[in-house]
Amino acid sequence: MKKVFILLLMSIMSLPVLAKGDWKGKVVDENGEPVAYANVAILSRADSTVVCGVVTQEDGSFNIVTKETDGIMMVALLGYKTVYLAPSDGAVITLADDSEMLRGAVASAVMPKTKLTGEGLQTNVRGSVLAHAGSANDVLAKPPGLIKGNNGLEVIGKGTPLVYINGRKVTDSSELDRLQSNEIQSVEVINNPGAQYDASVQAVVRIRTIKRQGDGFGFNLNASDAQSLRWAGGNDPFGAVNVNYRTGGLDVFGGINYSRNTSRQESNLQKQTFGLTRTGEDWLFENKGTLLNEYIGSTIYGNAGVNYQINDNHFLGGKVEWGLHLTHNVHTEVNDNVFENGTLTDMLTTVSDDKMGERKPYNLGANIYYNGLVAGKLGIDVNLDYYGTDDSSTSVSKETSEMTHDASISSGSNNVGRMYAAKVVLSYPIWKGQLQVGTEETFSRRKDNYKVEGIDIPASAAAIKEDNIAGFASYGCHIPRVGQFSAGVRYEYVHYAYEDAETPANNLSRNYGNWFPNVSYAGVIGQKTKNPVQVMLNYSTKTSRPHYGNLSSAIRYNSRYIWQSGNAQLQPELSHNIGLTAVWKFVTVMLNYTRTDDAIVTWSSPYGDEGVVLVKPRNIETPFRMMSAYVNLTPTVGPWNMNYTVGVLPQWFTINAPDPREESGIRVTTFNKKPIFFAQLFNTFTVKGGWQFELGGVLMSPGYSRNLYMSNWFINLRAAVQKTLLRDGSLVVRLEGEDLTRNAFFNTNSDFGSHTINQTNLLDMQRIKLSVRYSFNTAQSKYRGSGAGADSRARM
């Protein structure tokens, strides 16, 4: 070992002296592809300490400004052999794979490295235990800042993020099931998206994949089957095949996948409605009963596209994605005992079946893009997008009463949505950073037609039109020994119009014009110490617009005593966010505070005097304030890797709720006293021979979430065993279990002033899943289309 060290020291000392200056270059792999996030550092020849350093950009480029006159350059990245070399301005540095080091990393359970990038938290996957976590969906449950619950993937305190893979927005969620963890280089969580993103985007997750074997034909197969341990009908098979052919600058790709999804819910419900009789006496209407809901649906998705690399600086391409619902069946049974002032007045059983209508629902999306660099400095990124949906459904409800009358209610709806979007971004290096300016235009159209028979509810023929024209600018720079600064601003002008041919009185038109600034700073405390602390502080203004389906004022029939409606009068939410993040060794700490005006909540209130309640969204006049605070720890002991996140979600929320029992008719209702505490604990054991064992889960305490109270402890215990086969690791078999303790559900209490709902739930979450994945000569797609109109597409 001593001889190796002496030889290394002699080789370093023999390198030429580094001259003072501005050193630029590019880091690539053995296939000539850019290597992002590699560490490029200047070492002192005297004692090998780091004088200064940078991280390569996504295109592999770097720029080091130094006054050091007697140093050497080092380039390093986990999974590659470290390079020591003489400095040379404009040099292209090639990193070679270090497969031996990667195998050792797996055997010793190397923990994933997390660092601040100036925009968010970047976690390295390659060479860590996360590289063997399964699919991209399995990986995304584990980086700091992310949590996976019954509602899917969420950024803590921010909600569901937009996901990008190599700069391309993910529009088909099954793509995260098809992407294997060993294909991922890194995952970056951004909880303060810049001005180039729509103002409604609260969080972004950026996945960067590893460059694979290159040209030729490649494919990957992915098959899985999940079986419920509670319900025989809860079987969810999934299958996907993706192919890719690359030759020279041409990249042709396509894929198709099938999935079947099921869910089952059993609930006990208790509803109370308070009112006054015509003579001013208190009146109480109660519903006590049970609910059973079963869903079975299947879909098929496909995509095809082409990318052409004209030369090193110019790319263009196009892609088409489509989806078709093959089946969609929802069966609901409600048993309801009805009491009026304590006296039983009805015993009602309602059986409902919802199915697809005359035509099968589908969606179709397309993207065309150009990405280029002009004169070596001016970056141009152009995206043109189209997205369309067509949905048709029918519902039949049979009501049987033992005390009043029977009824048969049928309804049908047809919804058509279209979106056209364009986005242009120009970038140019100025001083020590980069200036970005751009524009994004989105034009959305939606038609909702609804009719019901068997009850006196008016039909609806609504047309929604929304045009969003935005401009934005941002600038970010890195100042050596100070840190990285970025600031941006986005202006959005929105025209919104709602027309209902059946009920013209509901028609309205609005115009909005808002500025959305953001600013951030990232730096290092204790740069000269052995273990410095990375810190980031940011502020942003964001909006959240209601889904188009929530803007229709048509009343939908759910049951005899529950009706549902949208609200064409809804205003967008406006939020102010401030966050602080710190990273030290394997510890990450994050604090985030948000104030939201015109917060949108689901509200239930009496409709008429026969015990019917109408559920609809509404804006709250008082501000909604919340904070998220958590600590993430990723220590490693031998083959044991720990990934522990613990935190708290306090909120401050007061609603002036209508309540006829109060003299003023208003009751101040608070949802402040009980914050939700949570823990996400994962343990991974990596053993030689390609074996990996996992045990962990999510724990959440009772507490408030906006105007709902979660009244029980949520526990989702998970376990998995995985075996990697074949010499190149291209075949992976995985067996996993979910909700092993049968506690992955929340019971809820709701207080709407004049109406309360208490509900206990039992969800069909306990499942066992077997999956098999195989890859052959897979290559990282060169597709660079980032898409436009992301918010409108999600809302549609």
Side-chain angles (χ1 to χ4, degrees), residues 570-592:
L570 280 178
Q571 299 280 350
E573 296 182 345
L574 185 65
S575 300
H576 299 272
N577 310 279
I578 186 169
L580 174 65
T581 306
V583 178
W584 177 74
K585 296 179 69 174
F586 58 80
V587 181
T588 301
V589 180
M590 178 173 285
L591 300 172
N592 192 83

Side-chain angles (χ1 to χ4, degrees), residues 498-515:
Y498 175 89
E499 295 181 359
D500 191 335
E502 298 287 345
T503 314
N506 291 332
N507 295 354
L508 61 89
S509 177
R510 294 200 196 104
N511 296 311
Y512 304 97
N514 298 97
W515 293 92

Side-chain angles (χ1 to χ4, degrees), residues 85-102:
L85 74 162
S88 176
D89 191 29
V92 177
I93 303 167
T94 301
L95 295 183
D97 278 334
D98 191 348
S99 56
E100 290 298 323
M101 187 269 284
L102 281 178

Side-chain angles (χ1 to χ4, degrees), residues 620-684:
I620 300 300
E621 299 81 7
T622 55
F624 170 71
R625 294 169 294 152
M626 72 163 294
M627 184 176 72
S628 59
Y630 71 85
V631 177
N632 174 261
L633 307 173
T634 56
T636 294
V637 179
W640 177 21
N641 175 265
M642 291 156 277
N643 190 328
Y644 299 161
T645 300
V646 293
V648 62
L649 299 169
Q651 68 174 40
W652 298 267
F653 198 24
T654 301
I655 297 178
N656 297 321
D659 190 339
R661 295 171 295 177
E662 300 292 330
E663 186 175 347
S664 63
I666 298 294
R667 177 163 55 88
V668 178
T669 307
T670 59
F671 306 88
N672 306 337
K673 297 179 180 179
K674 294 186 178 181
I676 294 177
F677 293 88
F678 66 91
Q680 186 166 257
L681 310 174
F682 293 110
N683 300 277
T684 304

